[in-house]
Amino acid sequence: MSADPAIAPGAGGEESGDGRVLRARALRDARRNQLLQAARRVFAERGYLGASINAIQAEAGVSRATFYLYFDAKLACFAEVLAGFVERLRAAIAPVDIRAATPPREQLVSNLVRVLGILEEDADLTRMLLQQARGTDPEIDLALDDLDRGVLALIVGSLTTGRRLGLVRVDERDIGLHASFVLGALKEAASQTFLAAPGRGAPRDHEEIASALLDFTLRGVLRDPTQLGEPG
Amino acid sequence: MSADPAIAPGAGGEESGDGRVLRARALRDARRNQLLQAARRVFAERGYLGASINAIQAEAGVSRATFYLYFDAKLACFAEVLAGFVERLRAAIAPVDIRAATPPREQLVSNLVRVLGILEEDADLTRMLLQQARGTDPEIDLALDDLDRGVLALIVGSLTTGRRLGLVRVDERDIGLHASFVLGALKEAASQTFLAAPGRGAPRDHEEIASALLDFTLRGVLRDPTQLGEPG
Amino acid sequence: MSADPAIAPGAGGEESGDGRVLRARALRDARRNQLLQAARRVFAERGYLGASINAIQAEAGVSRATFYLYFDAKLACFAEVLAGFVERLRAAIAPVDIRAATPPREQLVSNLVRVLGILEEDADLTRMLLQQARGTDPEIDLALDDLDRGVLALIVGSLTTGRRLGLVRVDERDIGLHASFVLGALKEAASQTFLAAPGRGAPRDHEEIASALLDFTLRGVLRDPTQLGEPG
Amino acid sequence: MSADPAIAPGAGGEESGDGRVLRARALRDARRNQLLQAARRVFAERGYLGASINAIQAEAGVSRATFYLYFDAKLACFAEVLAGFVERLRAAIAPVDIRAATPPREQLVSNLVRVLGILEEDADLTRMLLQQARGTDPEIDLALDDLDRGVLALIVGSLTTGRRLGLVRVDERDIGLHASFVLGALKEAASQTFLAAPGRGAPRDHEEIASALLDFTLRGVLRDPTQLGEPG
DNA sequence: GATGAATGAGTGTTCATTCAT
DNA sequence: TATGAATGAACACTCATTCAT
């Protein structure tokens, strides 16, 4: 259609073909994201079983069958929503480097702040994950267990390292238990801070929460632990 | 209903009447309990939405419509199941009396041990409570929030008292946050201990868990908190 | 409520109870039959896949979910329809008794007449069974295969007996094949007679058809088989 | 499309134009055939209602909408598949020529052998034709009726000729019925031989089957038809 | 008090078909 | 020509709930 040999029909055709393909892919990805966002909202609001495909497609503004163009099934869509969230969380957690310039405590606080940021950003989804997600499907449960296990492993690793350096007092066989305590404290802090009905105390800065959590974890609540009078 | 003096509401008649009423009430209560127990099992196993009235009445061994003789609706039944569990938990928690003969730490451990006992006894229901119960209905959520709030208030009270006695170092405005940490540690410990797939570490004695949790709460994980290098 | 000791409340209550139960059962059976008839009509008209539960319940005049009170699933309902038909056919076929007063040929004709009667009575269902029923579900296919196998076994038995008596000329290894021929002739006769568009030749009496079929089976179409000039 | 004489519809241009058209047609025909073959396989395997356009286009390796470039609708495609099969069958049946060198019996056997060959070659399609094809659509049913009618007319013609030559004993008004018998025997033989579960008797040579079928048709199963004791 | 029967609304999912590109 | 995207209608099936008996 043009006489310019530099953009001969062959090349031009190919380019236009690529352009079309690219545009099509972008459109497809956009729709997909549109559906994923809608699904995220609906799942977050009603839980897995309470969420209906109907509600998701309505929220996304597409027709019923369209949903199935992008997801094989309800469960697959939920798994994807979940995976995205888990991925963001994983990415937010940087391994603590003892030899780095920033002191470990600051690195930990940074991690916590990033995690809290994500949790607050997706508060609805967080609520569902913390409170409703399990028991739906073995696959989903495994994914959630994996997430927990991953975080627990991180904490266990930190505690073990601390023990080796003589910093941590926890008996080796109690490390798993204490890791649970730490994880639970984090979860509940997130629940109470982002998810509960507002007005329960002043809203707190993520940095403050992270710092307090770390403080609590490391030192407990006593002023002078030697007074503890614990057995042994 | 009859004027015949032979079956008049005389002594025997009255007794027989009361007896009938009493027996009827007892029967009714028995049926009700039978249904509640069945509902508890089914709700615990499948969650609120996953549980069907069908399954509940089948588990109870009564007919389908009978369910509605004892409960207005599915939600009402669920609420009652939940309320029963919450009540048991509340009853297990005794307020700590500083002036009592038993030292406060022992009282706390006793509370925890009782709570852990209930949680383990009804592990399925505990799982649902901790992981799936919210988001079903505003009323249910409020009930669960109440439970949380009650426990948190207890913890806040303890911390405040500790602060007044100069034992607790936590800043006053951080007390709510730390209470969350404590509650979360308890919840997660319960989750990991009773609910997770078995084989993750040795099963622990409730006393051990309670003691460790209290220890963690009070002292944190550090051997020497003065090394903490915290800001301030 | 009555003073007559002969119909004391106990006995009367029991009797009335039985009456109610019986009436309830009768009602239930009636509904069930009503649904079965409707299903038979719809399956016959549209085939298994073409028939929708919607159409069946509408034909039966009940609500959608009611269907599932009486049948576990579509396939179960179809299987029952099928089983009923097969049962009627089986019942119509009496084993031929050589020592009976009625000559074997008459017994065979009677069997055929009875079978043709059933096939005509349920012409729609017959059409579906002969033309559409297979390929839907392995279980259904097996049931149909069983029916075929049963009839084929009957024919094979007859032919073998005939051979032993020196009446039948068919080589032993060809008996199965000839049994197929006989069954096919029967099926197609039924198809062409009851099921095809009308007006193709005069409608025939069942007795005539049965007689002709038997004649064809036994003697073939030749006037003088010795002219056949067959190989061997 | 351009006035430039260099690419005017000159000799080369015309040839290239024809070539393009031809190539396009060839491509179109190829695609069409590709789709028809795929449709044949899918229809044969799952029946009309069980087959989905999705499955057909996937089997053909083309995109979903492409199907509709070559066929107006699912039914049209099915009709075409069927028509092709019917056409092959028709082509396989040569009218018997009494004056030909090969004796009529051999001509008949040849016809049967050819038909059996086609049926076995497309066993899946045969199964569907014999067992599932009807009831889909009035048009389809008519086409299948036409096939049946055509074959029946051939058989009727043979029988009538035989009668005229004094070879066939069948009463004139029974000829249609006997033609049905013959067709049915053929169909069932095909069903039992090619389509049924294997292992039911030794697999038979087409020539043997054809011969046996002809034998059965002509002579029936009796050794001595004079013993028949038929009425009249 | 107890129940079998009944049902409207809803579930997740698949379908044949259309259309813009 | 070819196709990816889209969709309304339909599917089999389940649900919590009501009601006559």
Side-chain angles (χ1 to χ4, degrees):
Chain A
M1 304 206 168
S2 164
D4 186 346
I7 48 171
E14 268 169 4
E15 276 177 21
S16 120
D18 279 10
R20 268 191 208 161
V21 167
L22 285 178
R23 216 176 315 136
R25 260 187 211 160
L27 273 172
R28 181 170 177 84
D29 283 0
R31 259 278 195 277
R32 199 184 165 75
N33 258 316
Q34 177 185 357
L35 272 162
L36 266 177
Q37 296 305 322
R40 217 160 55 92
R41 281 192 293 273
V42 175
F43 280 132
E45 198 172 325
R46 312 194 196 175
Y48 179 76
L49 283 178
S52 74
I53 306 289
N54 233 336
I56 294 175
Q57 52 95 342
E59 175 89 10
V62 300
S63 193
R64 179 141 353 142
T66 301
F67 176 88
Y68 286 93
L69 284 181
Y70 295 90
F71 304 101
D72 280 345
K74 188 188 184 183
L75 187 57
C77 175
F78 184 64
E80 201 152 334
V81 165
L82 201 60
F85 192 58
V86 166
E87 190 42 44
R88 289 183 64 197
L89 283 179
R90 278 197 201 282
I93 302 173
V96 172
D97 181 359
I98 305 187
R99 287 174 303 267
T102 15
R105 191 181 198 281
E106 260 179 60
Q107 294 183 46
L108 285 172
V109 168
S110 294
N111 275 345
L112 283 174
V113 167
R114 275 194 297 273
V115 165
L116 290 171
I118 293 172
L119 295 184
E120 186 170 36
E121 215 172 303
D122 288 327
D124 281 346
L125 201 50
T126 301
R127 173 185 295 117
M128 193 203 42
L129 287 186
L130 289 183
Q131 297 172 347
Q132 308 167 18
R134 307 222 190 207
T136 294
D137 182 273
E139 200 184 329
I140 299 290
D141 281 15
L142 279 183
L144 291 174
D145 281 352
D146 269 359
L147 177 60
D148 271 5
R149 250 196 295 270
V151 177
L152 280 174
L154 276 178
I155 302 174
V156 165
S158 294
L159 293 178
T160 307
T161 301
R163 237 184 84 83
R164 218 178 298 127
L165 298 179
L167 302 172
V168 166
R169 63 165 181 83
V170 178
D171 190 278
E172 193 181 1
R173 60 189 287 275
D174 284 341
I175 280 188
L177 205 49
H178 280 74
S180 291
F181 298 156
V182 175
L183 176 58
L186 168 60
K187 282 185 179 179
E188 190 69 17
S191 283
Q192 299 292 335
T193 314
F194 310 139
L195 311 180
R200 189 180 307 169
R204 307 300 294 269
D205 188 69
H206 291 175
E207 192 103 18
E208 279 182 322
I209 297 174
S211 192
L213 175 56
L214 203 55
D215 215 32
F216 169 78
T217 300
L218 297 175
R219 301 207 315 171
V221 299
L222 289 189
R223 181 182 306 276
D224 179 4
T226 57
Q227 300 178 336
L228 198 58
E230 63 193 310
Chain B
M1 299 197 172
S2 166
D4 187 346
I7 51 170
E14 264 173 1
E15 273 178 22
S16 126
D18 280 6
R20 268 191 209 160
V21 168
L22 285 179
R23 218 178 312 133
R25 265 191 207 156
L27 271 174
R28 183 168 175 84
D29 283 359
R31 265 271 201 280
R32 198 182 166 75
N33 255 317
Q34 179 184 357
L35 272 162
L36 266 177
Q37 295 305 321
R40 214 160 57 93
R41 283 191 292 271
V42 175
F43 281 131
E45 200 171 326
R46 311 191 198 176
Y48 178 75
L49 284 175
S52 73
I53 306 284
N54 227 334
I56 293 174
Q57 50 95 339
E59 175 89 11
V62 302
S63 189
R64 192 164 316 164
T66 302
F67 177 90
Y68 286 92
L69 287 179
Y70 295 91
F71 304 101
D72 279 347
K74 187 188 184 184
L75 188 57
C77 174
F78 182 63
E80 202 151 335
V81 165
L82 220 55
F85 192 55
V86 167
E87 192 40 46
R88 288 183 65 197
L89 283 177
R90 276 196 205 282
I93 303 173
V96 173
D97 181 359
I98 305 187
R99 289 171 303 265
T102 23
R105 190 183 198 280
E106 259 179 60
Q107 295 183 45
L108 284 172
V109 168
S110 294
N111 275 345
L112 282 174
V113 166
R114 273 194 300 273
V115 165
L116 290 172
I118 292 172
L119 296 183
E120 186 170 38
E121 211 173 305
D122 287 324
D124 282 343
L125 203 50
T126 301
R127 174 185 294 118
M128 197 201 42
L129 234 177
L130 290 182
Q131 296 170 349
Q132 304 167 20
R134 307 226 186 201
T136 295
D137 183 89
E139 199 184 330
I140 300 288
D141 281 15
L142 280 184
L144 292 174
D145 282 351
D146 268 359
L147 176 60
D148 272 4
R149 251 195 297 271
V151 178
L152 280 174
L154 278 178
I155 303 174
V156 165
S158 294
L159 291 179
T160 306
T161 303
R163 239 183 84 82
R164 218 179 298 126
L165 300 179
L167 302 172
V168 166
R169 62 164 181 81
V170 178
D171 190 277
E172 193 183 359
R173 61 188 288 273
D174 284 341
I175 280 189
L177 206 47
H178 280 74
S180 291
F181 297 157
V182 175
L183 177 57
L186 168 60
K187 284 184 180 179
E188 189 71 18
S191 282
Q192 299 291 334
T193 312
F194 306 143
L195 310 181
R200 191 183 303 171
R204 308 300 295 268
D205 188 67
H206 292 177
E207 193 104 18
E208 278 183 322
I209 296 173
S211 191
L213 175 56
L214 205 54
D215 213 32
F216 169 78
T217 299
L218 298 174
R219 300 207 317 170
V221 300
L222 289 188
R223 180 182 304 277
D224 179 2
T226 60
Q227 297 178 338
L228 197 59
E230 64 192 307
Chain C
M1 303 192 174
S2 165
D4 186 349
I7 47 170
E14 267 169 7
E15 275 178 20
S16 119
D18 278 9
R20 267 192 207 160
V21 167
L22 285 179
R23 215 177 315 136
R25 260 188 211 160
L27 272 174
R28 179 169 177 84
D29 283 0
R31 259 276 193 277
R32 198 185 165 74
N33 259 317
Q34 176 187 358
L35 272 163
L36 265 178
Q37 297 304 323
R40 216 161 55 93
R41 282 191 293 272
V42 175
F43 280 132
E45 199 172 326
R46 313 193 196 174
Y48 178 75
L49 284 177
S52 74
I53 306 289
N54 231 335
I56 293 175
Q57 52 93 343
E59 175 88 12
V62 301
S63 192
R64 181 140 350 142
T66 301
F67 176 89
Y68 288 93
L69 284 180
Y70 294 90
F71 304 101
D72 280 345
K74 187 189 184 184
L75 187 56
C77 175
F78 183 64
E80 202 152 334
V81 166
L82 200 61
F85 192 59
V86 166
E87 190 42 45
R88 289 184 64 198
L89 283 178
R90 279 198 200 281
I93 302 174
V96 173
D97 181 358
I98 305 188
R99 287 175 303 267
T102 15
R105 191 182 198 280
E106 258 179 60
Q107 295 183 46
L108 284 172
V109 168
S110 294
N111 274 345
L112 282 174
V113 166
R114 274 194 299 272
V115 165
L116 289 171
I118 291 172
L119 295 183
E120 186 170 35
E121 215 172 301
D122 288 328
D124 281 347
L125 201 51
T126 301
R127 172 185 294 118
M128 192 203 44
L129 288 186
L130 290 183
Q131 296 170 350
Q132 309 166 18
R134 307 220 190 208
T136 292
D137 182 273
E139 201 184 329
I140 300 290
D141 281 15
L142 278 184
L144 292 174
D145 281 351
D146 269 359
L147 177 60
D148 271 5
R149 251 197 295 271
V151 178
L152 280 173
L154 276 179
I155 302 174
V156 165
S158 294
L159 293 178
T160 306
T161 303
R163 238 184 84 84
R164 218 179 297 125
L165 300 178
L167 302 172
V168 165
R169 63 163 181 82
V170 177
D171 191 277
E172 193 181 0
R173 63 189 286 273
D174 284 341
I175 280 188
L177 204 48
H178 280 75
S180 291
F181 297 156
V182 174
L183 177 58
L186 168 61
K187 283 185 179 179
E188 189 70 17
S191 283
Q192 298 293 335
T193 313
F194 309 140
L195 310 179
R200 190 180 307 170
R204 308 301 295 270
D205 188 67
H206 291 175
E207 192 104 17
E208 279 182 322
I209 296 173
S211 192
L213 175 56
L214 204 54
D215 215 32
F216 169 78
T217 299
L218 297 175
R219 301 208 313 171
V221 299
L222 290 190
R223 179 180 306 276
D224 178 3
T226 59
Q227 297 178 338
L228 198 59
E230 62 192 311
Chain D
M1 299 199 171
S2 164
D4 186 345
I7 51 170
E14 263 173 1
E15 275 177 24
S16 125
D18 280 8
R20 268 188 209 162
V21 169
L22 285 178
R23 219 177 310 135
R25 264 190 208 157
L27 271 174
R28 182 169 175 84
D29 283 1
R31 264 271 201 282
R32 200 184 163 75
N33 254 316
Q34 179 185 355
L35 273 163
L36 267 177
Q37 296 304 323
R40 214 160 57 93
R41 284 191 291 272
V42 175
F43 280 131
E45 199 171 325
R46 312 193 198 173
Y48 178 75
L49 283 176
S52 74
I53 305 284
N54 227 333
I56 293 174
Q57 51 95 339
E59 175 90 11
V62 302
S63 189
R64 192 164 314 165
T66 301
F67 177 90
Y68 287 91
L69 287 179
Y70 295 92
F71 304 101
D72 278 348
K74 188 187 185 184
L75 188 57
C77 175
F78 183 62
E80 202 152 334
V81 165
L82 220 56
F85 193 55
V86 166
E87 192 40 45
R88 289 183 65 196
L89 283 177
R90 277 197 204 282
I93 303 173
V96 173
D97 181 357
I98 305 187
R99 288 172 304 266
T102 23
R105 191 182 198 282
E106 258 178 59
Q107 294 183 45
L108 285 171
V109 168
S110 293
N111 274 346
L112 284 174
V113 166
R114 273 194 300 274
V115 165
L116 290 172
I118 291 173
L119 295 182
E120 186 169 38
E121 210 173 306
D122 286 326
D124 282 344
L125 203 50
T126 301
R127 173 184 296 120
M128 197 202 39
L129 234 176
L130 292 182
Q131 297 172 348
Q132 304 168 21
R134 306 222 188 207
T136 295
D137 182 89
E139 200 184 329
I140 300 288
D141 281 15
L142 281 184
L144 292 175
D145 282 352
D146 269 359
L147 175 59
D148 272 4
R149 252 196 296 270
V151 178
L152 281 173
L154 277 178
I155 303 175
V156 165
S158 294
L159 292 178
T160 307
T161 302
R163 239 184 84 82
R164 218 179 298 126
L165 299 179
L167 303 172
V168 165
R169 62 163 181 83
V170 178
D171 190 278
E172 192 183 359
R173 61 189 286 275
D174 284 341
I175 280 187
L177 206 48
H178 280 74
S180 290
F181 297 157
V182 175
L183 177 57
L186 168 60
K187 284 184 179 179
E188 189 70 18
S191 281
Q192 299 290 336
T193 314
F194 305 142
L195 310 180
R200 191 182 305 172
R204 309 299 294 266
D205 187 67
H206 292 176
E207 194 105 17
E208 278 183 322
I209 296 172
S211 192
L213 175 56
L214 205 54
D215 213 32
F216 169 77
T217 300
L218 297 175
R219 302 208 312 174
V221 299
L222 290 189
R223 179 182 306 278
D224 179 2
T226 59
Q227 299 178 337
L228 197 57
E230 65 194 307

